[in-house]
Amino acid sequence: MQQQISVVTLGIADLARSRRFYVEGFGWKPVFENPEIVFYQMNGLMLGTWLSPALEKDMQRRPAGPGSFALAHNVPSRDAVQPLIDRLAQFGGTVLRPGDAPPHGGFRGYIADPDDHAWEIAWNPAWPISPEGYVSWGV
Amino acid sequence: MQQQISVVTLGIADLARSRRFYVEGFGWKPVFENPEIVFYQMNGLMLGTWLSPALEKDMQRRPAGPGSFALAHNVPSRDAVQPLIDRLAQFGGTVLRPGDAPPHGGFRGYIADPDDHAWEIAWNPAWPISPEGYVSWGV
C-alpha cells in the first residue's frame, strides 16, 4: 500500500470567499474550478475546496462534531511565519494563535480559513522541503 | 508561495486504536512515534495522528462544529477500492458509503477512521499516481 494521501477536501460555504483566501491569501493558482469546487495542484496531492452540501452528500454524512484536525503549510524561515499569517488574515482568515516557538523547536502560529479549517503556518528546520515542495522527515 | 501542504494532523482519542487502523489497516509504517503522536511519511508531506487535547491546546481552540472535510487515498484500479474499504472496516473503520461510481467517473467509497475522520478510497483514472505516490492533475 502506498503511503499516499491523494486529496484533502475542505467543505466550504461560499466559493468566492474561500477562493479569495487561497488564491489571494496564499497566492495559489487553481488547476480547475467550476461553480461548486476549486482544485489546487499541491505537492503530489490535490487540495479541493468543495461546497459543503455537495461534499456531505458525496460522503453520505453530515459531520456532527468530527475530531479535530489541522493542515500545515511550512515555510523556509522563522521570519516568514508571521507575515504569512498577517497576509492570510487580510484575506478572510481568523488568527487562532499568533506565531510563537513551541517546546519542540521551530516557530509556528495557526489561522483558520473562512470555513474554520485550521492551518498551521510553521518553520520547522528539522523537516527539509525540496524545490518541488515535498516535505520529508529529517535528513 | 509554494503550493504545498506540509502536514495533515488528525486529532485522535486513543493512540493504539488509531495506530491499528493506519498500521494494520492501511499497512503504513510510522516514521516516528511517542506516547501522544504518530507521524507517517507520506507522498511529500506528513500525516500526524495526535491526541486531540494536545492538538487543541497547540492550535488554541476546541473545534465546535468545524466545516466538513475529507481525506482521500487513491488506488490504481477500480477493483482495489472495495477490498481496501473492507480491510479498513476490519481495523476499526466505519463504512460511510460502500464503493460505487460517481457521476464524474471513476469509483469510490468512504470510510471513517476510529476518530470519525472521513477517508475516501477512490479509483480516479484521470489523475495519474507516480511510483512515489505523487498524484497529479490529468496528463
Side-chain angles (χ1 to χ4, degrees):
Chain A
M1 191 81 56
Q2 284 184 326
Q3 300 210 179
Q4 179 247 95
I5 295 172
S6 313
V7 192
V8 172
T9 305
L10 305 178
I12 58 170
D14 180 321
L15 202 78
R17 184 182 69 169
S18 170
R19 192 182 188 287
R20 179 169 175 264
F21 181 83
Y22 290 98
V23 173
E24 297 185 58
F26 270 116
W28 295 341
K29 291 190 203 320
V31 67
F32 173 85
E33 47 193 316
N34 70 22
E36 71 170 34
I37 195 165
V38 180
F39 279 111
Y40 303 86
Q41 169 76 59
M42 308 304 291
N43 45 317
L45 76 165
M46 297 290 160
L47 172 65
T49 53
W50 197 8
L51 292 177
S52 292
L55 172 58
E56 290 166 6
K57 184 176 175 189
D58 198 62
M59 63 178 169
Q60 294 191 341
R61 72 156 177 186
R62 173 177 294 277
S68 50
F69 84 106
L71 302 162
H73 175 81
N74 286 9
V75 293
S77 70
R78 179 188 174 109
D79 291 347
V81 171
Q82 194 61 48
L84 177 54
I85 293 172
D86 293 343
R87 176 185 174 88
L88 292 169
Q90 290 168 16
F91 292 100
T94 302
V95 176
L96 299 171
R97 173 181 200 137
D100 65 354
H104 50 274
F107 194 77
R108 59 88 178 85
Y110 284 90
I111 186 161
D113 83 358
D115 293 277
D116 207 24
H117 300 294
W119 280 87
E120 180 187 13
I121 307 299
W123 168 61
N124 180 345
W127 289 4
I129 307 173
S130 80
E132 300 82 14
Y134 300 143
V135 174
S136 55
W137 184 273
V139 270
Chain B
M1 191 80 58
Q2 284 184 327
Q3 299 211 180
Q4 176 249 95
I5 295 172
S6 313
V7 192
V8 172
T9 304
L10 305 177
I12 59 170
D14 179 322
L15 203 77
R17 184 183 70 169
S18 171
R19 193 182 187 287
R20 179 168 176 265
F21 181 83
Y22 290 98
V23 173
E24 298 185 58
F26 270 115
W28 295 341
K29 292 189 203 319
V31 66
F32 173 85
E33 47 192 315
N34 70 22
E36 72 170 34
I37 196 165
V38 179
F39 278 112
Y40 303 86
Q41 168 76 58
M42 308 303 291
N43 46 316
L45 76 164
M46 297 289 161
L47 172 65
T49 52
W50 197 9
L51 292 177
S52 291
L55 172 58
E56 291 166 7
K57 184 176 175 189
D58 198 62
M59 62 178 170
Q60 295 192 340
R61 72 156 178 187
R62 173 177 293 276
S68 50
F69 82 107
L71 302 162
H73 175 81
N74 286 9
V75 294
S77 70
R78 178 188 173 109
D79 291 347
V81 171
Q82 194 60 49
L84 177 54
I85 292 172
D86 294 342
R87 177 185 173 88
L88 292 170
Q90 289 168 17
F91 292 99
T94 302
V95 176
L96 298 171
R97 173 180 200 138
D100 64 354
H104 51 274
F107 194 77
R108 59 88 179 86
Y110 284 90
I111 186 160
D113 83 358
D115 294 277
D116 207 24
H117 300 294
W119 279 88
E120 180 185 14
I121 307 299
W123 169 63
N124 179 345
W127 289 5
I129 306 173
S130 79
E132 300 82 15
Y134 301 144
V135 174
S136 54
W137 183 273
V139 270

